[in-house]
Structure formats: structure tokens, C-alpha cells
Amino acid sequence: MGRQQRWTSATGRVFFVVLPLFCASSGALAVDATIEGVTGEVDKNIKAYLQNVDAEQYTDARLEGEVRRRTQEAMRVYGYYEPEITLERNTDDRVWLTIEPGPQVKVETLSVNVEGGARDDPPFQDALEAFPLKEGDVLRHAPWDRLSGQLSGLAIERGYFDWGFTDKRMEVRPYLQSARLYMDFDSGARYQFGPTSIKGSHIELDRLRRIQPFESGDPYLAENLALYSQRLADTGWFSSISVRPRLATAQELTIAPPGESDPWWSEATPSQPQRPRLSSAALAGALSINKPDDKELPIDVSVEPADRHQFEVGIGFATDVGPRLRFGWEQPWINRYGHSLDHDLYLSAPEQRFTGVYDIPLENPLRDSYRLQYGVRNLDDNDTELLEGTVEFARRWQFDNDWVQLLYLRTSYVDFVQGGEADKVWLFYPGVQWTRTRTRPQRFPLWGDRQQLSFEYSDTVWGSDAQFARMTGDTEWIRTIGNDNRFLARISVGAIETEDFDKLPPSLRFFAGGDRSVRGYSYESLSPRNDEGRLRGGQQMLTSTLEYQRRVTGDWWAATFVDNGDAFDDWAPDDLKTGAGAGVRWISPVGPIRLDIAHPFDDEDAFRLHFSIGPEF
């Protein structure tokens, strides 16, 4: 039967696939398929297989053959091995492809086995249990190929570097609509971490080994190499870090099969000298005579020191303080023990401060340290004026649950005027603080929370000018429903118990209002007032925020919020101030930018604009 007759006979069929075919003079483009007769994943897969067919590159006969071949391949992965395919050509140079899928092949025999050291390794057993195909199921290629890749990936990740498939077959009998699947995976023995060699470090090696998450003799796990690299980076001591296994296994020595890229270890060990490689067949013969038994894998760590002096300049703006500048000078290491020094200068119209932190890492540099902090602060805002100098010595612990505990002793000299009342005081007081911050992602968290709780106590017995007990607490939560609905809730509390309130400097009293407190009110404008109507600060404070954000498009979000709170002297105040409003959020390259318009409920005609840059916490 001729080609034209064969195409014409398709007019009686029920299912068609329309494929545009341009004549040579029109500059043909790729085949564009409109598929009927098969739906869902099969439909999408056929389109994917045909989308790169350029009709201009084929004669009519070759185009027909290419379309048939690709359609058959696209359907086989879903178990359709004997589809009936015919074509019809219309006068407008379009091609109709008619598909009758036929029966699907089913799995008759399924045999998957893992041998070697991985036989009892839980992740391998989990992979086998999660394999979706069972005997009697319709054959699908994707799960079969995925299992193969999963087993080999687990072997590389978990140190079975001599792995291989002793059998991997898919026997399909289309005429019986049956398939037999065989996969035998031999992992070989698991490698262990060997000794760690560290080069280029200016810090004592013992300090680097203390944060190593593995020891020589532990089973190899690639995740631990990444964790060690991350920990080294978190110290801030190094500008570049390389943590690589020193491979000398059978699979490292083999060349990649034709058409494939270099194996993973070529990228994992770029600093290692390239060894001559043999073909897999030649190497197998050599190893059958003398197979290596050493399963220790040495680890090579190469680092370069970070710049000893690092400088940072920041410019920002917020309605609370107006324009602000920040100059940072950091010394991430100043000696071979990893001590660090950080200085920060902050400038704005109402406030100027200079602070320094000297950090002394202990046995675990990332979790335990002593800290000496000092600073000078000048503030002139609303009814507050102060000049304050502070020195603090602290012991820091970070626990496995991400909580950070800080035990500190602080001394401050403060010369202040609050609400027209002036004083100069020396304060000596210990304190303890617990904090935890979790966010993901970092720049604009879609999930996260921040907790803080602190207690401080001062007594005239040891020379302090005031006796007081002070507590502060904050909790803030961010949660997202779907990809476009973001919720934020925050509660802050504070309380002071004292008979010497007039001697407490403004930095220890409580004020509310502002961008991160009760919006609709200016910065720290809410507190009890004295007889002259000036702010004097409160002994207690309570604020809360509830905010809903909705993604508008891309990095732009709309927000609505309600803030409630005040600073006061007696618990159970008559009422709390409330502000509500709406705003926009833009996730800019320099961080989230927030613009809000808030209305205070106790003033019907008032509105206040709030603008700030930076994450919520």
C-alpha cells in the first residue's frame, strides 16, 4: 500500500494527534502536537518527545518514521508497547497522528535484592519498601530507573564505593503483556573515615578537630563532610574551605563510559592529582588478581585564612529614627586560638553608640565562649537624654536544640535626664538570658520563630545605686499557608520590681510605640507621664502584633495588621493603645522593605507612616 493510501485510510479512526507540517518554502518549525486518545501523563510525555522534531529536516517518509518512533518510545515508559499508529495528511500541510494505545504490559516477575554491607543498612531497606511497583502492576519505567539511581546515590553518599549491579534486566514480552524485572545490587563493604589532614590553617589544629562531626573509624557519610565544611565556615576564621575524601577505590580509577561525564569524585576532589584510568573491563581483570582490602578513607582539609581586618558600611532609614549609618570593623581572628574582636559604630539623629565585643572561644568554638562587651551610648529623644557607658562579661552556651544561654555580669554608669528629672547612677547587676532564633529562608522567612527571656537583678549590697529585679520576654512567630499567605504574631512583655524607680536609667525603663511595637504611635512615645506631662517610662510593658500578608506578585506582598499595647506602672491597666493599618512588603536585593500606614484608635483623624528595611527578626 502506498504512502498516500496508507495516510488516507486513517480518516475512519476515532483518535487524532494534530502535527503541523510546513512545506519547505514556508520555513518549517518544530512539530507542535495536539493529542487526543491518550490523556494525562501519557499525553504530556508524547508532546515532550515530539517538541524537538524539526519537520524541515525530514522528508515526508522520514518525518512519519521519526514521529512514529518517538511516540512509541514515549508510550513504552507507561507500559504501552503495542500502540497502533497511523497518519493522515490534509491539504493545509498538517499531519494527523492516530493512536490506539492497546493493552498495557504488567509486571509478572519482580526480583530486587541488595547484597553486601548495605543489606542491613536502613536507608537501603527504606528505598526497597518505598518502591511502588508490585507484581501484577502496570509496568512503568520511571520508578524502576529511579530505584536504580537511588541505590547508587545512597551507595556514594554512605561510603559503599565498590558498589555495582550484578544483574539489572527488564524483560518485556509485549505479545503476552508481561514483564520480568531483575535488579541485584552489590554494595560491597562500607568505607570508614580515616585520619584527617588539615593544611593551611593559622588556627591551632586541635580547635578545628573539636568541631569535626566524625572520628577516624566511623562509617563514611557524605553529609558529615558537608557539616564539617559548614562548621568551619561558621567560625569566620577562613576565606576558603575544602573538605574532600582522598579516594583510591576501584570506581575512581575507571574511565567514564562513552557519552557520559566524569564521575562525581572528579568534582569532589578537584585538588587531587588525576590518576591514569583504565576501562571498567580492564580494571575488573586486574582487581580479580589483586583486590585492595583497605577500607579507610583519609580526609583532606584545605583552608585559607580570612582577612584579618574586615570593614562594613551600612545605610538605612526608618521612621522611628530617620536616616541611620553603621560602620563595622571586624577582626574574625587575632591570634592562633581564634579570639575575635568586633567593633560597631551606629549613628542616627536621636542616638549614637559605639560597641565592642571580644570573643574567646572555648572547647567547642561554635557553642561555648567567654565574651567581653563594652560600649558608649548617647541618646536624645522625646523626653529622654542619657550618656551611658557599659562593660559586660559573659559566658555563652549554645545547646543542641538551638537555644543559646548567656550568663553575664554588667556594670553601667549612666548620666540621664528623663522627663525633666536628672540623676547619675552606677549599676552592678548579673543577668541570665535564653534566646533562640529559627528561620528559613534567611532573607525573607516563610517559616520561623524567635524567643527571648531574660532576668536581671541589682542590689545596693554590692555597691549598686539601685535595687531592682527586671524581666523581659519576647516571642515572635512566622508561618505560611501555601505559597502566598504569610502570618506574623508577636508578643512582648516586661516588668520591674523596685523601690528605686527614680534611679533607674531610661535604658531599663519601658516605653512602647514605633515600627516594631505599636504602629500608629511614634517611637517610644507610650509610657506613664509625670505631673508635667512628660514621659517618665513604665515599670511594666505589654505589646502584641497580629499581621497577615498576601503575595500580590513575585516579591511584592500586601499586609494588614493590628497592634496593641502600652507601657504602664500597674498591671491590668484600664486600656491598651491600639493601632491598625495596611502596608506593602518588597523583598529587595538588600533585604525586605516595609511601608505601613497605621491609624491609632484613640485619635480618629491621625495616621502615621512607618518605613523600615530589614527582616522581622
Side-chain angles (χ1 to χ4, degrees), residues 17-33:
V17 174
V18 181
L19 302 173
L21 179 64
F22 296 89
C23 60
S25 61
S26 63
L29 300 176
V31 169
D32 181 18

Side-chain angles (χ1 to χ4, degrees), residues 273-348:
Q274 295 296 318
R275 299 177 175 87
R277 293 179 181 174
L278 307 173
S279 69
S280 299
L283 183 64
L287 292 179
S288 65
I289 300 174
N290 184 21
K291 187 172 183 178
D293 295 324
D294 184 10
K295 300 301 178 184
E296 268 202 351
L297 194 61
I299 304 301
D300 292 327
V301 178
S302 178
V303 295
E304 294 182 8
D307 293 337
R308 195 163 189 173
H309 300 276
Q310 300 177 10
F311 301 93
E312 182 179 0
V313 179
I315 301 175
F317 179 88
T319 49
D320 287 344
V321 298
R324 56 192 181 191
L325 298 175
R326 176 183 172 270
F327 301 91
W329 171 29
E330 182 180 0
Q331 294 176 265
W333 59 275
I334 59 177
N335 56 32
R336 60 193 177 97
Y337 302 107
H339 295 189
S340 63
L341 186 60
D342 186 10
H343 287 108
D344 190 89
L345 176 63
Y346 173 88
L347 301 173
S348 68

Side-chain angles (χ1 to χ4, degrees), residues 155-214:
I156 294 172
E157 177 187 342
R158 300 182 66 79
Y160 300 96
F161 295 117
D162 297 323
W163 63 271
F165 290 97
T166 57
D167 190 12
K168 188 170 68 171
R169 289 177 292 148
M170 178 186 292
E171 298 178 356
V172 180
R173 296 171 173 79
Y175 55 92
L176 296 178
Q177 291 88 52
S178 69
R180 298 176 181 178
L181 308 182
Y182 304 93
M183 185 184 296
D184 293 328
F185 181 83
D186 187 353
S187 68
R190 187 174 185 179
Y191 280 67
Q192 294 85 40
F193 285 109
T196 300
S197 173
I198 303 176
K199 296 181 180 180
S201 176
H202 56 296
I203 305 298
E204 284 195 340
L205 299 185
D206 184 57
R207 289 187 172 265
L208 305 187
R209 291 194 170 97
R210 286 174 183 171
I211 60 176
Q212 183 175 299
F214 55 86

